[in-house]
Amino acid sequence: MSLFNLKNKSILITGSSRGIGKSIALHSALHGAKVIISSRKMDACIETANEINQKVGSDVAFPIACNISDSNQLDKLVSETISLLGGIDTLVCNAATNTHMGSMLDMTDEQFDKVMNNNIKSTQKLCNLCIPHMKEKNDGSIIIISSIAAIKGSPILGAYNISKAADVMIVKNIAAEFGQFNIRANSIAPGLIKTDFAKGLWENPDILKSVLTTTPMKRIGEADEIAGVAVMLASKAGSYINGETIVVDGGTTIA
């Protein structure tokens, strides 16, 4: 049996109707998992779930709409996932917000608060909702999609960077407290990836040139290249990786 086999695993992925989340959902399903497709808009969730089910050839993807900024919707997301799939083996916190690109001096309190609420508070709450269930099974994997913004300063992404650095500490805290229950928590820190979420960066010629100049591979990444790491962390292949941040950036942060 492959170390990357996810047969009979149930995976909840936020922000999975497109981009990195969608790719993680697809490749998890292709490796045998049942996956929850979740984002704010139900139509987008249904469309992605149908697309994945067609590619896999069976009903393995299920849509549940959820706005991560709404605490009640997070409660419902977890309870409906457990009811539908019978449990949650892996939680992937991928949904995130960036309300401002520019100087921190020009960012409003409301913009700052929204980033912190959506990228930190909602992530911690989702983890807290899933951990008791994982404790009962004495097994579970939590994956938070962070960013190289967590380890590299930026003149235009200040609040986003702060929130992504918090993600790194969330997984360390979970690993330290709940590793004894065979619960692993890790983050993935992508570099610049060609997704709609990051379009404001890679479509800007000056920013793209700056990134490529300091990236040894001389290209930006693809969503599937993040999905491969997530599949590893959700499977037996990653069963002794805990509290870590895996950087996937083509070498940007070492150049």
Side-chain angles (χ1 to χ4, degrees):
M1 185 177 292
S2 168
L3 282 172
F4 299 90
N5 182 28
L6 293 175
K7 187 177 180 181
N8 299 323
K9 296 292 185 181
S10 300
I11 303 181
L12 168 58
I13 308 152
T14 64
S16 49
S17 63
R18 62 179 185 170
I20 289 173
K22 179 179 178 179
S23 184
I24 292 172
L26 171 61
H27 288 283
S28 295
L30 288 171
H31 280 78
K34 291 184 177 180
V35 298
I36 294 296
I37 306 301
S38 183
S39 66
R40 286 179 300 161
K41 298 179 180 178
M42 189 60 170
D43 288 349
C45 294
I46 292 172
E47 183 179 346
T48 296
N50 288 341
E51 182 183 333
I52 291 174
N53 288 335
Q54 278 190 329
K55 289 183 178 180
V56 175
S58 60
D59 292 336
V60 294
F62 306 90
I64 302 177
C66 177
N67 185 336
I68 61 167
S69 67
D70 187 319
S71 182
N72 291 328
Q73 289 191 39
L74 292 176
D75 288 326
K76 186 178 177 183
L77 173 62
V78 172
S79 63
E80 285 191 6
T81 297
I82 293 173
S83 176
L84 189 62
L85 301 185
I88 299 173
D89 296 297
T90 296
L91 167 66
V92 181
C93 296
N94 170 66
T97 299
N98 182 34
T99 58
H100 178 76
M101 191 163 71
S103 171
M104 286 284 284
L105 299 179
D106 299 324
M107 189 174 201
T108 66
D109 288 347
E110 290 76 16
Q111 288 175 318
F112 183 84
D113 289 344
K114 186 172 182 178
V115 171
M116 297 304 139
N117 182 70
N118 289 7
N119 297 3
I120 302 175
K121 185 178 178 180
S122 69
T123 294
Q124 183 69 67
K125 171 159 178 118
L126 262 179
C127 292
N128 288 351
L129 288 170
C130 292
I131 286 170
H133 174 71
M134 293 176 174
K135 261 181 83 174
E136 284 183 13
K137 298 190 304 175
N138 200 52
D139 189 40
S141 177
I142 292 171
I143 303 166
I144 300 177
I145 306 303
S146 180
S147 168
I148 60 169
I151 53 178
K152 190 172 184 287
S154 166
I156 59 171
L157 294 171
Y160 181 76
N161 285 27
I162 293 167
S163 71
K164 293 289 107 177
D167 289 340
V168 170
M169 190 51 65
I170 288 173
V171 300
K172 289 181 183 297
N173 288 339
I174 293 172
E177 184 175 358
F178 300 105
Q180 61 183 311
F181 303 106
N182 200 35
I183 297 173
R184 288 89 58 211
N186 297 282
S187 62
I188 302 173
L192 184 55
I193 306 297
K194 194 171 185 180
T195 64
D196 286 343
F197 182 79
K199 189 177 286 188
L201 297 175
W202 57 263
E203 278 195 342
N204 183 308
D206 294 332
I207 293 175
L208 180 60
K209 181 180 178 181
S210 175
V211 171
L212 295 182
T213 298
T214 58
T215 301
M217 294 186 74
K218 302 303 177 187
R219 67 174 177 86
I220 64 174
E222 300 287 342
D224 286 353
E225 293 174 307
I226 307 304
V229 180
V231 168
M232 176 190 70
L233 291 173
S235 67
K236 189 174 177 60
S239 60
Y240 201 55
I241 303 173
N242 201 13
E244 293 300 321
T245 296
I246 300 176
V247 176
V248 188
D249 69 349
T252 302
T253 50
I254 60 91

